[in-house]
Amino acid sequence: HMMQQWPRCVRFKLCRKKHELCLLLFALAFALVLISYHYFLRVRVPRWKSTFPIGRRGSSQYVTKFPLQRDQFHIDPNTTEHKVILLWTEFFGSRTWYTNENTFNNCPVKACSVTTDKKRVKDAHAVVMNVRDFSTPSDLPPSHPPWQVWILHGSEPPYYVWQDLRRYNNVFNWTSWYRTDADIFSPYGKYVTRVLSLSLSL
Ligand SMILES: *[C@@H]1O[C@H](CO)[C@@H](O)[C@H](O)[C@H]1NC(C)=O
Ligand SMILES: *[C@@H]1O[C@H](CO)[C@@H](O)[C@H](O)[C@H]1NC(C)=O
């Protein structure tokens, strides 16, 4: 029987003609994949996420436990001494770290404020960096006054830290991490009761 098929020579000719174009397209596609990997996975999640203003998206997903029991902080919940916390990096593309004006609702100390204004780095009491939103020591503030607390935040296990933390030895004062031995214990995710029971036949 007859099959609808291009003759060999035509196929070969087409291929030869388009050979260079194919190669170019392949190279472009490869470059695009590399660039997307770098920007979307290694460095930042898409920019549009960072346009949410404070208050648009308060997340109950993140639970921050302030270490009130730990002696080294000497926190007086009744203090009126105002403390400024500067969010230096983004948090996975969010300039505001998905916080809102209710950030301190569950904190016994009320005399704190959060800012994203980098110009305030000179008077911020604490400066917070998310480990996944900077890539070299030069991304950090240019100077570190001795009274200023630099906090390294991370929500991911070591495999997803994506940088060599040995470069930051003696740079940070506190950790804010999912580990219970962090200075500020910040886990995320939670267990919830299922609405429907799961039928299992084991
Ligand atoms: C803080 O103020 C409350 C209410 O006035 C008081 O009951 C509490 O003892 C104070 N705590 C400290 C540590 O001073
Ligand atoms: C934070 O760490 C830096 C560098 O080790 C140190 O110079 C500074 O005194 C520390 N600041 C506080 C408030 O502990």
Side-chain angles (χ1 to χ4, degrees):
H1 62 281
M2 296 290 289
M3 261 175 59
Q4 187 66 35
Q5 204 180 49
W6 283 1
R8 255 172 201 287
C9 57
V10 175
R11 278 191 300 176
F12 180 69
K13 253 176 142 178
L14 273 173
C15 246
R16 277 296 288 268
K17 257 181 161 176
K18 299 203 168 169
H19 183 75
E20 276 173 18
L21 186 65
C22 286
L23 208 67
L24 188 70
L25 284 178
F26 180 79
L28 279 177
F30 189 67
L32 202 68
V33 166
L34 277 186
I35 290 167
S36 335
Y37 177 75
H38 184 71
Y39 278 97
F40 291 93
L41 290 174
R42 299 235 21 173
V43 181
R44 302 266 181 267
V45 295
R47 268 258 37 107
W48 56 265
K49 279 197 173 171
S50 67
T51 61
F52 287 119
I54 282 187
R56 265 293 288 284
R57 182 173 165 176
S59 174
S60 57
Q61 211 179 355
Y62 296 91
V63 184
T64 300
K65 308 276 186 207
F66 294 93
L68 292 178
Q69 310 313 325
R70 298 190 185 184
D71 294 340
Q72 69 264 36
F73 294 111
H74 307 292
I75 295 170
D76 170 12
N78 295 335
T79 185
T80 52
E81 199 188 333
H82 189 247
K83 300 282 186 187
V84 175
I85 301 163
L86 168 62
L87 305 175
W88 180 261
T89 66
E90 293 185 353
F91 178 75
F92 294 102
S94 165
R95 192 68 199 95
T96 62
W97 293 49
Y98 303 116
T99 58
N100 56 29
E101 65 278 6
N102 301 323
T103 295
F104 296 108
N105 271 5
N106 297 321
C107 180
V109 182
K110 304 296 178 198
C112 295
S113 62
V114 174
T115 181
T116 57
D117 183 359
K118 291 191 174 187
K119 290 197 288 289
R120 297 192 64 183
V121 70
K122 288 186 186 71
D123 57 39
H125 298 89
V127 183
V128 195
M129 293 80 164
N130 184 36
V131 71
R132 278 280 294 275
D133 288 84
F134 63 93
S135 35
T136 74
S138 63
D139 292 338
L140 304 179
S143 70
H144 187 168
W147 46 265
Q148 192 173 65
V149 177
W150 283 20
I151 304 173
L152 180 65
H153 179 86
S155 330
E156 302 283 352
Y159 183 81
Y160 291 107
V161 164
W162 288 347
Q163 52 175 320
D164 184 355
L165 292 181
R166 284 173 297 190
R167 288 190 295 172
Y168 306 95
N169 277 347
N170 301 314
V171 166
F172 292 99
N173 303 95
W174 297 356
T175 52
S176 163
W177 216 264
Y178 66 90
R179 287 177 57 122
T180 52
D181 60 354
D183 298 306
I184 301 166
F185 175 44
S186 317
Y188 76 100
K190 58 186 172 188
Y191 291 103
V192 294
T193 313
R194 285 183 62 89
V195 177
L196 298 171
S197 61
L198 193 68
S199 54
L200 281 178
S201 46
L202 296 172

